Amino acid sequence: MVKIFALPANEGDFIWVAYGENEVYSHILIDGGTDECGEEFASIISIIDERKEKIEALVLTHVDYDHIQGALEGICRISNDILDRTVKRIYFNTYQGIHRNLKGTGEILESSVCIEDQIRVNQNYKEYGVKDGIKFGELLSEKGLKDRLVDYVVYGQQAVLPNGATMRFISPGEKELIKFANEWEKYERENEYVQYASNLEMVKKNLDDLMQEKLLSDSSPNNASSIAFIFEYHSIKLAFLGDAKPSVCLQGIKKINDADHFEVDLLKLSHHGSRSNTSDSLLKTIRTNNYLLSTNGHHKKVPSKVVLSHLLKNAGKKDINLYCNYDWYNTEYHERYFTIEDRRAFIDTKKLSLYLLDDQALEIKDGCYIYGEYGMF
């Protein structure tokens, strides 16, 4: 059995995957949302520890605030003893890891400032700043987790987990990590507000018409460095794309898959449904009719309605299921995200079904369930 918890994380990602049989689970945590999620992140670690189970992988996909800060705030709140017996591996690309593995290319610029040193956590759990608080590396050292850190992850690598589960990485590549090491964007929450194109004009148009609109390409070195992977357990296959670029994921897929396409049971859309982080080629290569979208709508900037139109365009005769951890289509757009024609052609006909996740299980397939809250677990 696999349980996926796509937890509310404001504009960010905070995903918990539990897999196993007979009510005994292994766990994967993927990002931790914004700092407001820190208390819940800590609570989940405590729940896993109380069950005497393990976090096989804590994946911090990339450096952006809305993915990493809640995880770090949560780690601050947990005792060293609990972390020591619960967390087995942390996957996070650091400048030091990139430099150590790729300095031989001659393309890594020597820097006295590491991006991971710009990530700070206030140990009073109230706020963070790039100048105040404890550095990321120091936090891991203080919490006894430094030796659990896998600080260089590129596509083609694989993590073998207990009970036959695997994580096969499809992003980033060496080229993306070199660019990230040399050109990383300043670690501040405010940067998040300039990374999306406006969605308002597109919302006025019909989904049918938007199928002719082009998808774009993300220029952010931070997002290009994002970890993305395929998780497999028995017959269940899930794609978690972080904020990765589709072109990079396609290169990574070639490293792990010989066929021109493969099926997954669920795909977590990259970068909260941004128009710049999905492509038709990717949708044709990783095929599914189940998509996960993690965002609160982020000031009407995501998800891009163009992306939803391309999900439908590439679906063929399949219906699309879109699982959401916020009802952004109502709260951000006052129930006007979909036009009358959209409702007639897609919503009413179930060509596009939207599911607002809560603590009740929704079945993706036999043995695979998704939630928006973890309730009593």
Side-chain angles (χ1 to χ4, degrees):
M1 178 181 291
V2 175
K3 296 181 179 182
I4 306 153
F5 300 90
L7 300 165
N10 300 309
E11 67 269 26
D13 281 4
F14 180 8
I15 299 168
W16 173 16
V17 178
Y19 71 93
E21 306 298 331
N22 303 316
E23 295 300 315
V24 178
Y25 295 96
S26 298
H27 303 268
I28 301 170
L29 296 181
I30 308 165
D31 292 327
T34 59
D35 61 348
E36 295 93 330
C37 302
E39 184 174 355
E40 188 167 28
F41 193 92
S43 176
I44 288 170
I45 294 177
S46 295
I47 289 170
I48 294 169
D49 178 64
E50 288 168 4
R51 294 175 58 88
K52 295 180 170 47
E53 295 171 349
K54 306 295 182 185
I55 299 170
E56 299 297 334
L58 196 171
V59 183
L60 302 175
T61 59
H62 64 300
V63 75
D64 283 351
Y65 174 94
D66 58 328
H67 290 254
I68 192 175
Q69 195 66 31
L72 301 185
E73 297 283 346
I75 289 171
C76 274
R77 295 168 180 259
I78 296 293
S79 73
N80 290 29
D81 287 344
I82 291 177
L83 291 170
D84 178 63
R85 62 178 175 252
T86 306
V87 179
K88 294 180 68 174
R89 288 287 183 274
I90 300 173
Y91 295 85
F92 177 59
N93 278 314
T94 68
Y95 176 85
Q96 292 180 345
I98 297 166
H99 184 269
R100 185 177 63 253
N101 284 275
L102 297 178
K103 62 183 177 181
T105 65
E107 298 182 60
I108 301 287
L109 302 177
E110 295 292 337
S111 174
S112 59
V113 180
C114 299
I115 178 60
E116 56 266 28
D117 289 343
Q118 300 301 296
I119 306 168
R120 306 292 181 97
V121 186
N122 188 311
Q123 291 176 295
N124 293 321
Y125 321 128
K126 294 179 181 178
E127 59 184 26
Y128 86 102
V130 294
K131 295 181 180 178
D132 303 313
I134 185 171
K135 296 178 181 179
F136 172 75
E138 293 173 355
L139 173 64
L140 293 190
S141 293
E142 285 195 10
K143 291 294 184 176
L145 295 174
K146 199 66 177 286
D147 64 338
R148 317 288 171 90
L149 177 63
V150 179
D151 61 2
Y152 179 72
V153 179
V154 291
Y155 56 53
Q157 293 178 351
Q158 175 174 291
V160 178
L161 307 180
N163 302 314
T166 59
M167 294 165 52
R168 295 187 293 164
F169 297 100
I170 61 172
S171 176
E174 289 185 4
K175 181 175 71 174
E176 288 71 38
L177 290 184
I178 289 170
K179 184 172 183 179
F180 170 67
N182 294 337
E183 302 177 22
W184 52 268
E185 296 167 333
K186 192 175 181 182
Y187 178 78
E188 287 186 347
R189 187 173 196 171
E190 285 72 19
N191 272 4
E192 290 296 303
Y193 294 101
V194 298
Q195 292 179 1
Y196 307 93
S198 174
N199 210 17
L200 290 176
E201 287 304 310
M202 293 301 176
V203 167
K204 299 174 184 177
K205 299 181 180 182
N206 297 328
L207 284 164
D208 256 331
D209 298 329
L210 291 175
M211 292 180 187
Q212 308 309 314
E213 294 281 344
K214 292 183 178 179
L215 295 166
L216 308 176
S217 180
D218 190 344
S219 62
S220 164
N222 288 15
N223 289 341
S225 75
S226 178
I227 293 173
F229 64 94
I230 309 297
F231 169 77
E232 293 186 54
Y233 175 65
H234 295 175
S235 66
I236 296 166
K237 189 179 294 187
L238 312 171
F240 296 103
L241 302 189
D243 281 3
K245 294 180 64 172
S247 58
V248 178
C249 290
L250 287 168
Q251 294 172 40
I253 289 166
K254 291 178 182 178
K255 295 283 188 179
I256 67 167
N257 190 75
D258 294 330
D260 60 356
H261 71 273
F262 62 94
E263 303 276 343
V264 299
D265 300 302
L266 179 76
L267 184 151
K268 202 289 292 187
L269 287 167
S270 178
H271 204 197
H272 324 291
S274 166
R275 186 177 179 181
S276 300
N277 297 79
T278 298
S279 72
D280 289 322
S281 296
L282 184 69
L283 296 175
K284 288 182 173 69
T285 302
I286 307 180
R287 298 183 182 178
T288 189
N289 66 323
N290 296 313
Y291 294 92
L292 170 60
L293 186 59
S294 180
T295 183
N296 59 3
H298 198 42
H299 308 287
K300 301 180 177 63
K301 294 182 179 180
V302 286
S304 169
K305 195 170 178 180
V306 178
V307 170
L308 300 197
S309 74
H310 281 254
L311 299 185
L312 291 162
K313 182 178 77 170
N314 287 282
K317 295 181 179 180
K318 289 184 177 180
D319 298 334
I320 293 296
N321 300 314
L322 186 62
Y323 299 94
C324 307
N325 52 6
Y326 288 91
D327 60 342
W328 49 266
Y329 39 89
N330 291 330
T331 57
E332 287 292 306
Y333 298 93
H334 307 290
E335 301 185 11
R336 295 179 180 175
Y337 187 89
F338 298 105
T339 65
I340 293 173
E341 178 60 24
D342 293 338
R343 293 184 181 278
R344 184 195 67 78
F346 297 106
I347 306 296
D348 295 343
T349 61
K350 303 296 183 182
K351 293 289 185 183
L352 174 63
S353 297
L354 283 81
Y355 297 95
L356 178 60
L357 299 169
D358 56 22
D359 62 353
Q360 299 300 305
L362 293 179
E363 187 178 62
I364 300 290
K365 65 177 291 186
D366 185 34
C368 183
Y369 304 89
I370 189 166
Y371 309 73
E373 300 172 24
Y374 54 89
M376 296 300 292
F377 188 68

